[in-house]
Amino acid sequence: MLSRVSQEYLYICVQEMHKEGYVITEICDILNLNRSSYYKWSHRSKSSSELENEALLHDIGLIYAEHNGTYGYRRIADEYNATHAKQYNLKRFYRLVHIVGLLAVIRRKRPAYRRSTPEVTAENILNREFTANTVNEKWCTDVTEMKYGSEGEKAYLSAILDLKGRDIVSFAIGRYNNNQLVFETFDLAIRKYPDAHPLLHSDRGFQYTSKQFKDMLEKQGMQQSMSRGGSIG
């Protein structure tokens, strides 16, 4: 059984994703949430404390996703407090991070997939130069595994990050780590920036080494960059 606060955080996730154009019924199905309970929660009057926690949880989630689940509450707190006017103590971050269960996947364990021959490979053009002079000059993309619920169910977050402002260009969440999830993330990014032609950097995951993904990049006039297997750098 999820705690009240954990349940509330999932409701917040639904709310944020709905703002990005996702259908509420589909999000609730993915997260195994009762739709009527969500609607009841969304129409309640929020306290100032709830509003503050919502904003902080949103930023915690962005920092966590940006660093591919490798940051614990201390490093999340350090990064947040270094970049925001209002600061919070470690206990606040510790409580929120544990409530939403992010610590369970701080160090991602990649499944032992059988190696397959990639259809497409690219040179590491980015070469760990994680800075950019302009928006839409360099994008990085990856898929992160997340666990939720008392049964340790899995969901996958695919995101594209702009290296200029460290902003999330687009993201998609699904039950499966597959081509469809990555292609959807890419399509959302192009819908948002149809005239963008950035360098797109990824690891050598099977989605990024597929000919179909390469064709999508070429159609958009993008150059592809890849790190060695198991790394995004």
Side-chain angles (χ1 to χ4, degrees):
M1 179 69 69
L2 288 175
S3 71
R4 182 181 65 82
V5 184
S6 296
Q7 191 84 21
E8 183 176 18
Y9 178 69
L10 291 179
Y11 291 153
I12 294 170
C13 290
V14 174
Q15 195 172 60
E16 289 298 317
M17 292 175 67
H18 181 56
K19 291 177 184 177
E20 297 291 332
Y22 287 83
V23 179
I24 288 177
T25 54
E26 294 178 356
I27 307 169
C28 287
D29 287 343
I30 291 174
L31 297 178
N32 288 330
L33 292 176
N34 184 285
R35 291 192 293 275
S36 62
S37 296
Y38 166 74
Y39 287 120
K40 182 179 179 180
W41 172 87
S42 65
H43 288 91
R44 83 204 188 291
S45 297
K46 300 178 184 178
S47 67
S48 58
S49 177
E50 283 181 301
L51 292 172
E52 191 174 59
N53 278 337
E54 281 185 19
L56 184 55
L57 279 169
H58 175 76
D59 289 329
I60 285 173
L62 289 178
I63 294 171
Y64 183 82
E66 179 181 340
H67 296 283
N68 299 317
T70 62
Y71 270 23
Y73 76 96
R74 292 180 184 275
R75 296 176 75 183
I76 290 175
D78 287 343
E79 180 160 329
Y80 180 92
N81 287 334
T83 55
H84 290 75
K86 186 165 185 178
Q87 301 188 354
Y88 299 93
N89 60 37
L90 280 176
K91 288 183 179 179
R92 185 82 169 260
F93 286 95
Y94 177 85
R95 180 172 63 85
L96 291 175
V97 166
H98 276 75
I99 283 171
V100 299
L102 293 183
L103 288 182
V105 290
I106 282 179
R107 291 292 178 184
R108 290 182 302 158
K109 293 184 178 179
R110 294 183 180 269
Y113 294 119
R114 185 172 59 186
R115 289 187 176 274
S116 59
T117 302
E119 295 179 315
V120 175
T121 57
E123 296 297 321
N124 188 351
I125 301 170
L126 185 70
N127 196 28
R128 302 192 66 80
E129 292 292 332
F130 294 107
T131 57
N133 296 319
T134 61
V135 174
N136 295 334
E137 177 188 350
K138 298 177 184 178
W139 289 355
C140 283
T141 185
D142 198 9
V143 177
T144 299
E145 179 186 291
M146 304 179 293
K147 293 181 181 178
Y148 65 93
S150 58
E151 302 299 322
E153 295 167 281
K154 293 181 180 181
Y156 295 90
L157 169 66
S158 170
I160 294 177
L161 176 75
D162 190 304
L163 290 181
K164 169 58 178 175
R166 301 287 171 173
D167 295 321
I168 299 297
V169 178
S170 64
F171 68 90
I173 296 177
R175 290 179 177 173
Y176 306 103
N177 180 12
N178 55 19
N179 286 342
Q180 181 181 352
L181 182 68
V182 168
F183 297 169
E184 180 184 354
T185 311
F186 183 80
D187 287 340
L188 288 170
I190 299 310
R191 234 177 285 167
K192 188 174 182 180
Y193 296 110
D195 297 322
H197 307 288
L199 174 72
L200 183 66
H201 184 79
S202 69
D203 62 16
R204 296 196 176 192
F206 65 91
Q207 307 97 325
Y208 309 118
T209 59
S210 69
K211 188 177 184 302
Q212 188 175 352
F213 189 68
K214 177 67 173 178
D215 290 343
M216 292 168 69
L217 266 63
E218 289 183 345
K219 182 179 179 181
Q220 190 60 26
M222 292 185 183
Q223 189 174 16
Q224 190 170 22
S225 172
M226 288 183 187
S227 57
R228 293 186 177 182
S231 171
I232 193 64

